[in-house]
Amino acid sequence: MTQTHFTLSNGKKIPSIGLGTWQSAPGEVAKAVEYALKNGYRHLDCAWAYGNEAEVGQGIKASGVPREEIFVTSKLFELHHHPEHVPLAIKDTLKNLGLEYLDLYLLHWNINLEVDAPAGVLPQNEHRVKGSSGKFKLDVALCDDVTPTWREMEKLVDQGLVKSIGISNFNINRTKKLLKEARIKPVADQVELSIQNPQPELVAWLKKNDILPQGYTPLGGTGKTNLRDNATVKKIADVHGVQTANILLSWLVARGINPLPKSVTPERIANNLKLVDLTKEQFDELDALSKSHPQQRVCDQSDSFEPTYDIYQENDPEFSDKVQFAKEQ
């Protein structure tokens, strides 16, 4: 039977498909959110960095769906990781969304930018500090140890401003470090997961440690259609009488992953909510397909800042997910 919800480690339930709002153009988001909620969605994935939380809030209000029926996630951006900025960031997000609390608040990245903002002011993009290379500078100490930021996020749970907290774009090594210090355990890790970027070691490790893997860009992203349109995927879709997107999302859910497909097109929004029950043979075919090619990421900011910071540590001889996972087997 198709899974409609996942249960987080703190006992709270989260719908198995969420509407992503990344890269949704201004003027489209409110209508997309309203349409999604009126057509069965009960899970919205947002972020301060997307610059559209106010529109998401408009869509929530226009939908008429009671707040308590909607699972809303947002994210603490890399400008706001300094401890004094966390309370300002959640206040701004809640104001933009028109909400009194979030169901889930994620640490958006395991990187933190240096900022030059007046005391008591929430940093904006213009407060970023440029280095000699012309790239924006990182606060490497806070990148390497996110504990001070996490302590402030834990306080938000205590205050009732967020129900659960989690992480995003964390690999096994960085998550292990956080777990050693955390008073409140992260309930989810939102990372890029698709048939092009399956990350089997990370997914298995997260599930073993009762941390829900959430998948952004679950259909491979714009232009990444080589596997989405693969003959195997099309064959399985034809058997079930659905589109290839439904097969790929169903495969992710069957792996224990919470996918967050993004769309502003009503037909696609409605379609992405339809999951099918894959047979074991079909699941195994898709699994084999995911392992038949080099991993392809859509999003990697490792070389975007000064200094370069190896976010995923994929080729690190000690800290890659493959090595870290193998150590525990």
Side-chain angles (χ1 to χ4, degrees), residues 22 32 35 102 149 319:
W22 180 39
Y35 179 86
L102 293 176
T149 310
F319 297 125

Side-chain angles (χ1 to χ4, degrees), residues 277-309:
D277 291 315
L278 299 170
T279 66
K280 184 181 184 304
E281 182 181 2
Q282 290 167 344
F283 178 90
D284 290 345
E285 282 187 273
L286 294 167
D287 213 44
L289 177 62
S290 75
K291 297 171 182 174
S292 68
H293 62 91
Q295 186 163 279
Q296 300 175 45
R297 284 191 187 277
V298 173
C299 190
D300 186 353
Q301 297 192 81
S302 295
D303 195 35
S304 298
F305 305 104
E306 180 184 315
T308 295
Y309 194 82

Side-chain angles (χ1 to χ4, degrees), residues 29-42:
V29 184
K31 292 179 181 177
V33 168
E34 179 184 358
Y35 179 86
L37 292 173
K38 285 181 174 178
N39 286 272
Y41 279 79
R42 290 296 182 267

